[in-house]
Amino acid sequence: MLAAALGIRLFHLGQRVVWFDEANSLLVARATPAQIIDAAHDDVHSALYNLVLHFWQSVFAGETAARMLSVLAAVATVATVYFLGARLGGPVAGLLSAGLLGLSPLHVWYSQEIRMYSVQTLLISLSFLFLLKGTREGWGNAWRAYIICTTLAIYLQYTSIFAVLAQNAFVIICHRKDPRTVRCWLLSQCAVALLFAPCLPLLLWQTTRVTGRSWIQPLELLQVLKFISLFSGSCLRDSGGRIPSVLVTMLALVTAIAVLWRKRENRETLCLLALWFILPILTLLVLSLRQNLFLPRTLVYTTPALALLVGCALAVAEKGVGRLMSVVMGVTLASANLFALDHYHFSANAWVKSDLRQGADEVAKDYRAGDVIVHSTQFSYRPFQYYLAQETVQGVVGQPENLTHLFAVIGDERLPENGTAFKRIWLVLYSDFKNQGSDAVVHNWMDQHHRLLQVLHNSPTLFIALYERQGPDLAPAIK
């Protein structure tokens, strides 16, 4: 099972190309630990993941090695889900749950990404495993491990607190009459709060200074439906219809709940897993009514919960209609996810399988002293900054955001002020959802003010051309 999960996540790993968020993590991770911590003031996360990536890259350098951190965390999550399923419904439930998570398209996607979400999912899964052990064994190593995993998960990604809310609800509903468990729970929550306290000033700073700059459009029903579809049969950036995937996800959830509810001894399992899956999604939905924060990556850690719900339902279903419904549900979900994985691995994806790395290689072959690279957007600038040598001179058209802490570590994106110091200009045009149409404006200006020497790359998403400088200005002044 683990070998299959590893193979699925290693398959076509080299086809993934660094995109903007990944480039930021990789560039920040090159800095010193003190600089990494300071750069978090312009982020919406703490510095923990970039610190981990910093030390990981000091031993295992390169893009593929950076992705392996997420891959290994994902495979460890599959193993954790097996132990959770075995504890909740027996070895068969563990195997079925691990198998379903291994095929989850949402989990596989972020298993290959150079971001914190795969590691966060592992820590949350371990947190639930140690919570379950703690409630059954009393105070001991399980509760201590729970405190460590939960604290690290919150440091890694603040939305982990929604999983803690689900755990609180579980203890209140299922163990409120057990004084020993309640006492252990209160002690563990106090310990987590104390350990996270040093990060509170940073969180408050980010809440007031950073989150207000959200680029996300107001929450719409279609966005929620797209997210639900990612659990079965769909991948991020799919252009096809999502309704069948939404129906499969809802069928799996409702069937699993119905099967587990039928027997009283399974209701604690149902309570734990349903809260883990549903409460974080509902909490983020409510918060997003004011400012949209509803991004699939912030809820990847709910994927093990659905896999466990379905796996446990399949394992404990009694003969008859319940068993038949469970089998149909499980086969449908697995088939839908296999279809999604086939689409993910073998279809073009301009976002994570872009030609940015290819374009950077083409520029590197002919780049020389006295050249400057002009980007129409930061979404090509940061990946190029990662792929090209640090001595390469490049910048973005227009004024950058005011991110003084981050820019002190990875550069402020500005083009050089003295344009006459350069003989040749490389123009890189890339799609920018924030400023649609700006690439055409920049392209027209360059054609009018400089002499085109060569077009090196021209695809639907990336355009690279080489110009001979004619005037003092490198690029147009665009806000």
Side-chain angles (χ1 to χ4, degrees):
M1 190 70 71
L2 293 180
L6 177 62
I8 290 171
R9 284 151 180 80
L10 288 177
F11 190 63
H12 284 180
L13 187 66
Q15 290 189 1
R16 288 285 295 249
V17 178
V18 167
W19 67 287
F20 178 74
D21 283 8
E22 290 180 317
N24 273 343
S25 290
L26 288 163
L27 292 168
V28 171
R30 288 175 175 176
T32 66
Q35 290 175 318
I36 292 171
I37 292 171
D38 185 64
H41 286 83
D42 286 326
D43 203 345
V44 293
H45 313 288
S46 78
L48 180 58
Y49 176 75
N50 289 334
L51 286 169
V52 172
L53 186 60
H54 167 83
F55 292 108
W56 178 268
Q57 289 272 271
S58 67
V59 180
F60 308 104
E63 179 185 347
T64 301
R67 297 194 187 282
M68 283 302 300
L69 175 61
S70 296
V71 170
L72 295 176
V75 175
T77 305
V78 173
T80 303
V81 164
Y82 166 77
F83 290 113
L84 260 168
R87 184 169 284 269
L88 291 168
V92 174
L95 284 172
L96 291 171
S97 301
L100 288 170
L101 181 63
L103 297 176
S104 169
L106 182 59
H107 192 253
V108 171
W109 179 291
Y110 286 101
S111 299
Q112 296 187 326
E113 185 156 296
I114 309 172
R115 295 289 281 168
M116 70 284 297
Y117 307 106
S118 180
V119 183
Q120 178 199 17
T121 304
L122 170 61
L123 290 170
I124 292 294
S125 300
L126 287 170
S127 174
F128 273 92
L129 176 62
F130 292 125
L131 167 67
L132 195 61
K133 291 185 68 175
T135 57
R136 296 179 179 182
E137 298 173 5
W139 185 260
N141 290 331
W143 282 110
R144 297 184 187 97
Y146 166 83
I147 292 168
I148 294 171
C149 292
T150 305
T151 304
L152 289 175
I154 301 173
Y155 267 101
L156 203 63
Q157 228 283 340
Y158 299 138
T159 57
S160 300
I161 193 67
F162 305 148
V164 179
L165 292 178
Q167 292 170 347
N168 274 275
F170 167 71
V171 172
I172 292 171
I173 294 171
C174 296
H175 295 279
R176 63 184 183 276
K177 296 181 180 180
D178 182 356
R180 185 186 66 171
T181 298
V182 172
R183 184 168 57 252
C184 293
W185 177 250
L186 291 174
L187 286 171
S188 68
Q189 298 305 290
C190 290
V192 170
L194 286 172
L195 290 171
F196 184 72
C199 194
L200 282 177
L202 174 63
L203 176 58
L204 293 174
W205 170 280
Q206 293 171 332
T207 301
T208 56
R209 302 291 184 96
V210 179
T211 54
R213 299 197 304 262
S214 177
W215 48 266
I216 312 173
Q217 297 298 316
L219 183 67
E220 297 178 350
L221 176 61
L222 181 60
Q223 184 183 355
V224 180
L225 293 177
K226 284 183 175 180
F227 169 72
I228 295 173
S229 73
L230 298 176
F231 289 95
S232 56
S234 293
C235 285
L236 288 160
R237 304 281 169 174
D238 271 356
S239 57
R242 302 292 188 100
I243 297 302
S245 297
V246 173
L247 293 176
V248 171
T249 302
M250 297 309 297
L251 171 67
L253 180 62
V254 171
T255 304
I257 291 174
V259 170
L260 292 173
W261 179 260
R262 293 188 67 181
K263 281 192 173 183
R264 183 177 294 275
E265 59 266 28
N266 295 327
R267 290 181 184 176
E268 182 179 337
T269 296
L270 171 61
C271 181
L272 177 72
L273 300 178
L275 286 170
W276 180 359
F277 182 71
I278 296 172
L279 193 57
I281 297 174
L282 290 180
T283 305
L284 193 59
L285 268 175
V286 172
L287 292 176
S288 295
L289 295 176
R290 182 174 178 270
Q291 178 178 322
N292 192 358
L293 304 171
F294 198 79
L295 296 172
R297 55 180 177 257
T298 61
L299 292 168
V300 177
Y301 66 82
T302 61
T303 53
L306 183 63
L308 283 160
L309 275 167
V310 177
C312 290
L314 280 167
V316 304
E318 297 177 331
K319 293 182 179 179
V321 177
R323 174 73 60 85
L324 178 62
M325 289 177 59
S326 298
V327 171
V328 171
M329 167 198 65
V331 171
T332 303
L333 182 62
S335 301
N337 285 344
L338 284 170
F339 170 81
L341 289 176
D342 176 77
H343 184 71
Y344 168 62
H345 283 305
F346 296 105
S347 299
N349 189 305
W351 190 253
V352 297
K353 299 179 183 178
S354 71
D355 39 2
L356 285 172
R357 181 169 56 209
Q358 178 187 349
D361 290 341
E362 291 170 354
V363 171
K365 291 176 182 178
D366 196 28
Y367 182 90
R368 65 184 71 161
D371 287 2
V372 62
I373 304 174
V374 174
H375 295 266
S376 65
T377 172
Q378 60 182 340
F379 296 111
S380 63
Y381 169 71
R382 291 303 181 192
F384 266 59
Q385 189 182 3
Y386 171 72
Y387 283 125
L388 297 177
Q390 296 185 25
E391 297 78 17
T392 306
V393 181
Q394 51 185 326
V396 180
V397 174
Q399 295 297 316
E401 297 180 78
N402 184 24
L403 304 175
T404 54
H405 297 274
L406 178 65
F407 289 166
V409 176
I410 64 174
D412 63 3
E413 306 176 358
R414 295 179 185 273
L415 286 167
E417 294 183 0
N418 183 15
T420 58
F422 302 95
K423 296 180 180 179
R424 302 194 309 172
I425 304 172
W426 295 86
L427 175 64
V428 179
L429 303 177
Y430 190 66
S431 55
D432 185 345
F433 68 92
K434 289 185 178 180
N435 302 292
Q436 296 182 9
S438 61
D439 52 347
V441 174
V442 175
H443 194 181
N444 291 334
W445 188 95
M446 294 292 291
D447 286 342
Q448 294 172 13
H449 291 80
H450 302 296
R451 186 168 72 90
L452 177 65
L453 296 177
Q454 182 183 6
V455 174
L456 280 87
H457 193 101
N458 190 2
S459 72
T461 56
L462 180 65
F463 176 85
I464 302 175
L466 179 61
Y467 289 82
E468 181 181 46
R469 184 185 59 78
Q470 301 294 305
D473 296 327
L474 296 175
I478 297 178
K479 294 183 179 181

